[in-house]
Amino acid sequence: MTLMTETRKPVVPPRAAPPSPGPARTAVPPLAPGAVPGLGHAGALLRDPLGFLGSLARHGGVVRVRLGPRTVCVVTDARLVHTLLVALAHDCPRGAVQDTLRTAFGDGLLMSEGQAHRDRRRVLQPAFGPDRMAEYLAVMHQVTEERAGRWRSGQVLDVAKEMNHLALEIVTRSLFDARLSEDATQAFHRALPDLVKGQIVQSLYPHPALARLPLPVNRRFDAAVRVLNRVVDQAVHGTERGERSAAGHGATLPALLRAATDAATGRPLTEADVRSEAITMFGAGTETVSTTLTWLLDELLRHPEVETRLLAELDRHLPAGTVPTPEALGRLAYTRSVTQEVVRLHAPNAFLMRTARVPVELGPYRIPAGTELLYSLTALHRDPHLHPDPLRFRPERWQEGGGAGRPSFLPFGAGKHKCIGEAFAWAELTVAAAAILRRWRPLALPGARAREVVWTTVQAQGLRVRLVPRGPGGPRPDGAADAGADALATRPAGGARPVDRCPVTAPPPPPPSPRTPATTAAPVPAPVPASPLRHRAPRRPGELHTAGLRHADWVLERGLLTPAELPRYRAYALHRLIGHAFPRTRGDDLDLLVDVLGWFTILDDRFDGRPGRRPAEARALVDPLTAVLHGTPGAAEHRPQAVGRTGPEPDGDDRLLGAWRDLWDRQTRGMSPAWRARAALEWQTCLETFPAEAGHRSRGTVPALGLPETMRLRRHGSCLYPFMNILERVHGADAPAALHADPALHRLRANTADAATLINDLYSLEREERQSAAAFNTVLTVQRARGCTRGRAVGAVRARIARLRRQNDALRAELGRRHPAGRWYLDGTRELVEGAQAWTSTSDRYLVAEDAGH
């Protein structure tokens, strides 16, 4: 029996109404529906712990559930949970889950109650006093810098595993002034899952005697306890020779314990007492912090704008290379909001338990003596009544009075049992994240995002990232200096380009832009010089961000979107895709690339509607666009009028056409006839895939479409070929003709388009499945063609991406030897795929509605 499940941020259903107190304050808590004879609600709890616990709020503030022969009361109301932990703390001590650990490790702070708990807390309190924090911050910073310094560019990191190692090392060095051997570290991490699993399973046994049976889960639990004792002994005794004075500042945790006496007996604490407290600190200070750090990195991958703002605040108040101080951490208001939001959305404790020692009243409910009480911090923190839009990661809620310090936010508990290491944990999260993000920029691998795995804690598993150095000055995800970069760019009247506000640092005024509306007279820019000297210095901080702002203005000026539609569209952060894929492009070329990508994205979304299912409508939309490519006279002026139009105002398709004429003119200006012919052919091939896909949908042939045909449509429908042509446009010269004629280049280009498309298909899968139009997605095609599971289909697509990349590396080497003058073009194809990977794994473009917070 296990309690392990993978979930996707389950929604807490709203309460139908506040629980009624009834005629008296002695109401019996209602029984949750759905109990199965013999099992009760155990099956539902095992299948989906968070979903089941979250669903109980609709039935009352306290709800009874049956777990086999046992009845447990689940407290779903945050105010009643606070009452349980504070006012009723003496009458409701810790429950069955903690009892399992008490049997294994003794009465440490985590397991003790009453006077014994108060006495032990008094002994430990100096180790967590404010006067120790500066020392701990320096150690946290040093440990993280050392560990992050051992990572290498391009290394793939198992984030959960690495954060576990980091958190263990921080606890060991900070509290014990010791270093564990590599063998001990590995043994600790191998033993921890068996300890957690055994803890939860044994807590669900109907009789404690079952824990003594030689069952596999019990044997693994006992073995894990022995391993953890050995590891902790190494840390505890490893400090004896160089131990700091117990009476002086900086005493280690073992020193404090050995200098203390047992208040009940007057005798010194035993070595068993020291080990018990040490194990408490190892367990509480490792798994929960490492899990939260993993979720923090995962959320920053999903929300790069949050990362940008966080890094900007660190630059202002905690400059790179400085050792953090308590005063500096106190100034990191936004960073604290980010960590609070991570802890809210991903509360480490799935559920905790108390036991009513005597009959108690909890709000309007009567709780008999001996009743086990369970509460879930995850469910409380995702309750929409307490935290509006609860599944959305939004750090701003904490700057708007989002609930810190209120009964609705209890990540470290409340009352006399509140976690003694709360300040230590908040500081550790901030210092470790700052040191990692300053040095490295993690890029998520396809399909390797964090997923929830529920035991007693909500663990983050599966997040794997590729490390990219940030370089000097710590470049941001989008090149912006900080979240206030909007202030660097204002748009003067008349639609001119944004300019630097500072008259000293402002660059010379740029030439009039081809993005000026057609009604405004503007000089025609000079032809693009046919020279490979078009390579530029790295973009200035904020340049990519302001290009995104200019693109938003262009989209509105062209009427492609309404102001109401713009915020959702801007969340896609398309300018960042261009920033990744064309890292050296600046100025007008940067604007052109962002505008082309944005226009194609809006066009692609148009086919999610009726034109995507009706070939005639698709053809009517595409034909005028392809006519522009070949300069057909009057192509733009004599487009067939849309059905239902009665006035001169252009409809959406007309506006797409007008914007396309502008983009085609800007793409081709100054380019060679050979380049223009290639670009026209490949844009036409790309656009023709839309009517072809609509034809398949109308005939119902999408599900039966074979893999070769799916790949052909996806390869050419992704606009990767046109963007490979634009590599020459932004470089300022055509690639060598001999390179274009080489068959190996044709294979390289096809592989490049395929790899980027397959990466897209991995991330867009869930969104496309929910659309009304049938999806062209290679994962779905592989699953149908091979008759395999979704997981195997995803694995096959990932393997194909890896093969394509290896093949392309070999092709680039071969082509580079034969055509050294074209190496810049070959490198550009690699950057396109890397850019697609970096952006697709972090953009909101492919989030489904509930993930996007809608």
Side-chain angles (χ1 to χ4, degrees):
M1 178 173 62
T2 64
L3 188 60
M4 177 173 175
T5 183
E6 296 177 11
T7 61
R8 285 285 300 171
K9 298 182 181 177
V11 178
V12 176
R15 298 180 177 86
S20 173
R25 292 183 53 83
T26 57
V28 176
L31 180 67
V36 176
L39 289 176
H41 301 91
L45 181 63
L46 293 170
R47 285 192 302 272
D48 183 9
L50 299 184
F52 174 71
L53 294 173
S55 72
L56 299 177
R58 68 178 68 172
H59 303 297
V62 179
V63 181
R64 287 179 296 137
V65 299
R66 290 189 177 132
L67 303 178
R70 298 160 59 185
T71 296
V72 176
C73 284
V74 180
V75 187
T76 69
D77 187 294
R79 293 166 300 178
L80 297 184
V81 171
H82 192 267
T83 299
L84 174 67
L85 300 181
V86 180
L88 299 179
H90 176 73
D91 294 330
C92 297
R94 300 175 191 270
V97 174
Q98 285 87 349
D99 286 343
T100 303
L101 294 183
R102 179 185 290 114
T103 302
F105 299 120
D107 283 319
L109 184 68
L110 184 63
M111 282 71 77
S112 59
E113 294 288 346
Q115 187 62 44
H117 176 83
R118 289 192 290 273
D119 291 341
R120 193 59 56 85
R121 192 177 183 100
R122 248 192 311 271
V123 171
L124 294 172
Q125 193 63 57
F128 296 95
D131 58 321
R132 299 295 301 275
M133 192 52 65
E135 178 186 348
Y136 290 153
L137 292 177
V139 176
M140 293 171 186
H141 177 73
Q142 180 181 357
V143 169
T144 310
E145 286 286 348
E146 288 174 0
R147 190 154 200 97
R150 294 195 291 268
W151 302 339
R152 293 293 176 261
S153 178
Q155 178 180 348
V156 173
L157 213 64
D158 182 330
V159 177
K161 179 179 179 181
E162 194 66 21
M163 294 305 102
N164 257 299
H165 283 271
L166 174 63
L168 177 62
E169 191 171 356
I170 287 175
V171 167
T172 307
R173 297 264 294 274
S174 299
L175 298 179
F176 296 86
D177 193 25
R179 293 177 185 263
L180 293 177
S181 67
E182 185 62 25
D183 288 345
T185 300
Q186 295 293 343
F188 179 88
H189 292 299
R190 285 195 300 268
L192 202 57
D194 288 332
L195 183 79
V196 173
K197 294 172 188 177
Q199 176 192 9
I200 186 62
V201 171
Q202 291 187 10
S203 70
L204 293 174
Y205 284 155
H207 194 280
L210 292 175
R212 295 192 292 273
L213 295 179
L215 302 174
V217 66
N218 292 340
R219 291 200 302 269
R220 287 192 293 269
F221 176 80
D222 293 340
V225 169
R226 290 192 294 271
V227 168
L228 262 64
N229 276 313
R230 287 199 301 269
V231 171
V232 169
D233 282 345
Q234 184 182 125
V236 169
H237 297 297
T239 64
E240 287 182 329
R241 288 188 300 274
E243 195 164 69
R244 294 163 289 197
S245 168
H249 177 72
T252 65
L253 188 66
L256 286 171
L257 291 166
R258 290 183 178 120
T261 57
D262 187 324
T265 65
R267 298 173 182 172
L269 297 182
T270 67
E271 283 303 303
D273 292 327
V274 175
R275 180 191 294 115
S276 179
E277 297 304 344
I279 277 210
T280 296
M281 297 308 158
F282 270 91
T286 299
E287 185 183 15
T288 54
V289 171
S290 65
T291 297
T292 305
L293 274 171
T294 304
W295 283 122
L296 172 60
L297 293 178
D298 186 73
E299 291 294 353
L300 293 180
L301 286 169
R302 298 177 190 273
H303 302 88
E305 72 284 355
V306 174
E307 182 186 11
T308 298
R309 186 172 172 186
L310 184 149
L311 286 167
E313 184 177 71
L314 293 174
D315 283 346
R316 289 193 297 273
H317 301 303
L318 192 62
T322 60
V323 176
T325 64
E327 295 74 24
L329 261 59
R331 293 191 290 269
L332 300 177
Y334 184 73
T335 304
R336 179 60 177 255
S337 296
V338 172
T339 55
Q340 285 177 317
E341 182 69 348
V342 172
V343 171
R344 180 199 67 81
L345 187 55
H346 303 288
N349 297 110
F351 62 87
L352 295 166
M353 298 182 74
R354 295 289 186 269
T355 300
R357 187 170 53 85
V358 296
V360 296
E361 290 183 359
L362 194 55
Y365 304 104
R366 182 182 69 253
I367 309 298
T371 301
E372 292 177 290
L373 296 147
L374 181 151
Y375 61 97
S376 169
L377 292 181
T378 307
L380 293 178
H381 291 175
R382 296 178 184 180
D383 188 331
H385 292 278
L386 303 175
H387 303 280
D389 201 5
L391 302 186
R392 185 179 176 192
F393 181 75
R394 199 171 69 83
E396 291 74 18
R397 74 173 77 237
W398 300 98
Q399 299 169 317
E400 301 163 358
R406 300 190 314 184
S408 60
F409 186 59
L410 302 167
F412 293 92
K416 67 178 185 178
H417 286 293
K418 188 174 184 181
C419 177
I420 195 172
E422 178 180 6
F424 185 97
W426 285 122
E428 184 178 356
L429 289 173
T430 302
V431 173
I436 291 169
L437 294 172
R438 277 271 177 62
R439 184 185 290 262
W440 297 104
R441 181 175 168 214
L443 303 178
L445 300 183
R449 305 307 294 268
R451 65 185 187 277
E452 291 178 336
V453 178
V454 182
W455 288 94
T456 50
T457 57
V458 185
Q459 300 174 9
Q461 294 187 7
L463 179 62
R464 297 172 68 242
V465 300
R466 190 178 301 279
L467 297 172
V468 177
R470 288 202 184 269
R476 304 295 178 256
D478 61 353
D482 56 46
D486 292 21
L488 295 176
T490 56
R491 195 173 184 81
R497 287 181 178 278
V499 295
D500 195 316
R501 287 173 180 258
C502 177
V504 177
T505 60
S513 170
R515 63 168 66 236
T516 306
T519 55
T520 304
V524 177
V528 177
S531 165
L533 302 178
R534 193 78 171 271
H535 285 298
R536 298 171 172 84
R539 279 189 289 265
R540 291 187 305 137
E543 189 172 355
L544 185 61
H545 181 77
T546 54
L549 298 178
R550 290 195 295 269
H551 171 66
D553 289 342
W554 181 81
V555 165
L556 292 177
E557 289 168 0
R558 288 288 174 180
L560 300 178
L561 294 174
T562 66
E565 295 168 324
L566 191 61
R568 174 66 178 153
Y569 172 79
R570 288 191 65 188
Y572 298 164
L574 296 174
H575 62 288
R576 294 195 182 108
L577 171 52
I578 296 302
H580 293 307
F582 295 85
R584 289 168 297 281
T585 303
R586 302 180 63 186
D588 289 347
D589 288 335
L590 181 60
D591 288 335
L592 171 64
L593 287 164
V594 179
D595 289 349
V596 169
L597 180 62
W599 174 87
F600 186 81
T601 300
I602 295 169
L603 174 71
D604 185 56
D605 286 347
R606 181 83 172 84
F607 286 93
D608 290 342
R610 280 183 22 160
R613 300 184 299 274
R614 303 189 179 190
E617 290 189 22
R619 176 59 61 192
L621 201 163
V622 164
D623 281 351
L625 300 175
T626 57
V628 171
L629 298 170
H630 304 293
T632 304
E637 290 78 6
H638 296 94
R639 181 184 178 277
Q641 182 165 318
V643 176
R645 279 186 56 195
T646 58
E649 179 68 23
D651 68 5
D653 294 351
D654 284 334
R655 289 190 286 269
L656 279 167
L657 178 60
W660 178 236
R661 293 186 69 203
D662 169 58
L663 292 173
W664 181 243
D665 179 62
R666 289 161 59 191
Q667 286 178 75
T668 57
R669 188 176 297 132
M671 296 305 291
S672 70
W675 183 92
R676 180 173 181 138
R678 282 197 307 273
L681 177 61
E682 292 184 348
W683 269 118
Q684 179 172 349
T685 304
C686 172
L687 296 171
E688 288 290 342
T689 61
F690 289 114
E693 290 180 356
H696 282 296
R697 292 192 185 102
S698 69
R699 296 190 299 272
T701 55
V702 180
L705 205 62
L707 187 59
E709 177 64 7
T710 300
M711 283 302 303
R712 188 191 68 80
L713 287 170
R714 299 291 292 121
R715 175 186 303 145
H716 291 286
S718 63
C719 81
L720 259 294
Y721 274 100
F723 269 91
M724 282 187 276
N725 286 328
I726 297 179
L727 285 170
E728 297 169 277
R729 171 70 173 78
V730 300
H731 183 76
D734 288 11
L739 175 61
H740 275 296
D742 196 317
L745 181 67
H746 301 168
R747 293 197 300 274
L748 175 69
R749 282 162 54 89
N751 287 356
T752 299
D754 285 352
T757 298
L758 292 173
I759 290 169
N760 177 284
D761 284 358
L762 286 174
Y763 286 96
S764 64
L765 176 60
E766 187 174 355
R767 178 178 182 265
E768 289 175 346
E769 280 191 296
R770 300 193 181 199
Q771 294 172 176
S772 57
F776 287 83
N777 187 291
T778 49
V779 176
L780 299 177
T781 303
V782 169
Q783 186 179 4
R784 182 201 58 77
R786 298 186 180 180
C788 62
T789 64
R790 174 64 54 81
R792 287 186 179 277
V794 168
V797 170
R798 287 182 189 158
R800 177 61 176 159
I801 293 169
R803 286 196 300 273
L804 290 170
R805 282 178 157 170
R806 289 194 298 270
Q807 291 171 12
N808 273 5
D809 287 342
L811 287 169
R812 286 191 196 95
E814 175 187 342
L815 288 165
R817 287 191 294 270
R818 292 205 292 262
H819 311 284
R823 286 186 185 276
W824 58 268
Y825 184 90
L826 304 174
D827 291 341
T829 62
R830 184 192 66 251
E831 291 169 344
L832 278 173
V833 176
E834 291 174 349
Q837 168 72 67
W839 175 82
T840 310
S841 63
T842 58
S843 172
D844 285 353
R845 166 74 172 160
Y846 301 115
L847 292 183
V848 295
E850 57 265 32
D851 292 332
H854 296 293

